[in-house]
Amino acid sequence: DADVTQTPRNRITKTGKRIMLECSQTKGHDRMYWYRQDPGLGLRLIYYSFDVKDINKGEISDGYSVSRQAQAKFSLSLESAIPNQTALYFCATSERGETQYFGPGTRLLVL
Amino acid sequence: GESVGLHLPTLSVQEGDNSIINCAYSNSASDYFIWYKQESGKGPQFIIDIRSNMDKRQGQRVTVLLNKTVKHLSLQIAATQPGDSAVYFCAENKRGDSSYKLIFGSGTRLLVRP
């Protein structure tokens, strides 16, 4: 969905490096989410935010942190990347829960 | 535990035939379900949703059926086309903790044979 953008689209980094993935949306939604997708697995929720002052851990938050800089921006950080964080990362937005609209994803490779 | 799963990881159908993708869920408290389509290199795209007070909902060439008795959800695609080739995910809305977190299944890959 072009209303949800993610940068970068692809990233290669080394173990121990700090990286940040950015998400921006023009849908005007209050709620934003970060998911991780691994081969053979569904999307797993890392963090979610229901408004600028609200941050919540998802099912796999260890090793990740987030920042909700504004209603339209939600960034995901890996403070010290490790190889098993190699995955496809998706940002999503929604109005009052329920249907979520996804960005195009960021493919991350940690060497 | 509570989970959303799929019966078949890969489904191959002839172009023009109807496709049926199945999904089982285990949380009887879930009251909202969504089907997403994910094409290669793209994010999941919303297809259709259904609430637990309904048994059936139709969209353009797609129908979702919900059987709460056996906790089963299906997505039917009529006259399947090559552009329907993708991975399809079902997701459930798990109420509780005042949140609306979606729980996703692992996906079914649909392959359309010309």
Side-chain angles (χ1 to χ4, degrees), chain B residues 93-104:
Chain B
N93 171 247
K94 181 179 177 182
R95 281 187 178 267
D97 303 323
S98 300
S99 66
Y100 284 84
K101 293 180 285 186
L102 291 178
I103 306 297
F104 288 84

Side-chain angles (χ1 to χ4, degrees), chain A residues 18-55:
Chain A
R18 180 183 187 278
I19 67 163
M20 179 181 290
L21 308 183
E22 307 272 5
C23 176
S24 295
Q25 54 114 346
T26 59
K27 299 183 78 69
H29 290 168
D30 287 327
R31 300 185 175 193
M32 298 187 73
Y33 310 79
W34 274 104
Y35 288 91
R36 167 178 173 159
Q37 185 177 38
D38 296 277
L41 299 177
L43 287 89
R44 293 183 292 167
L45 184 63
I46 306 172
Y47 271 95
Y48 62 103
S49 169
F50 284 175
D51 63 44
V52 175
K53 298 179 181 179
D54 177 80
I55 300 290

Side-chain angles (χ1 to χ4, degrees), chain B:
Chain B
E2 295 162 339
S3 65
V4 176
L6 295 166
H7 296 307
L8 297 173
T10 303
L11 176 66
S12 179
V13 298
Q14 189 73 38
E15 181 179 356
D17 287 351
N18 296 334
S19 301
I20 300 176
I21 300 172
N22 296 303
C23 177
Y25 66 94
S26 59
N27 186 357
S28 58
S30 293
D31 65 348
Y32 180 65
F33 304 87
I34 306 174
W35 281 101
Y36 284 93
K37 172 186 180 183
Q38 186 177 19
E39 297 175 275
S40 180
K42 298 183 179 180
Q45 177 185 5
F46 171 85
I47 302 173
I48 192 168
D49 58 1
I50 188 168
R51 297 191 179 278
S52 59
N53 62 352
M54 303 173 68
D55 298 321
K56 179 180 179 179
R57 190 169 189 212
Q58 288 184 296
Q60 186 176 13
R61 282 202 306 117
V62 294
T63 300
V64 56
L65 299 178
L66 177 62
N67 185 330
K68 295 179 288 294
T69 302
V70 295
K71 299 190 188 110
H72 184 267
L73 189 70
S74 68
L75 176 71
Q76 299 179 2
I77 304 174
T80 312
Q81 302 170 359
D84 294 327
S85 292
V87 176
Y88 290 81
F89 295 93
C90 64
E92 65 177 308
N93 171 247
K94 181 179 177 182
R95 281 187 178 267
D97 303 323
S98 300
S99 66
Y100 284 84
K101 293 180 285 186
L102 291 178
I103 306 297
F104 288 84
S106 58
T108 292
R109 181 174 301 279
L110 176 65
L111 299 175
V112 182
R113 304 189 303 272

Side-chain angles (χ1 to χ4, degrees), chain A residues 6-12 20-22 89 105-108:
Chain A
Q6 292 182 235
T7 57
R9 292 297 312 279
N10 294 280
R11 178 74 184 269
I12 300 174
M20 179 181 290
L21 308 183
E22 307 272 5
Y89 291 85
T106 295
R107 189 173 298 277
L108 175 66

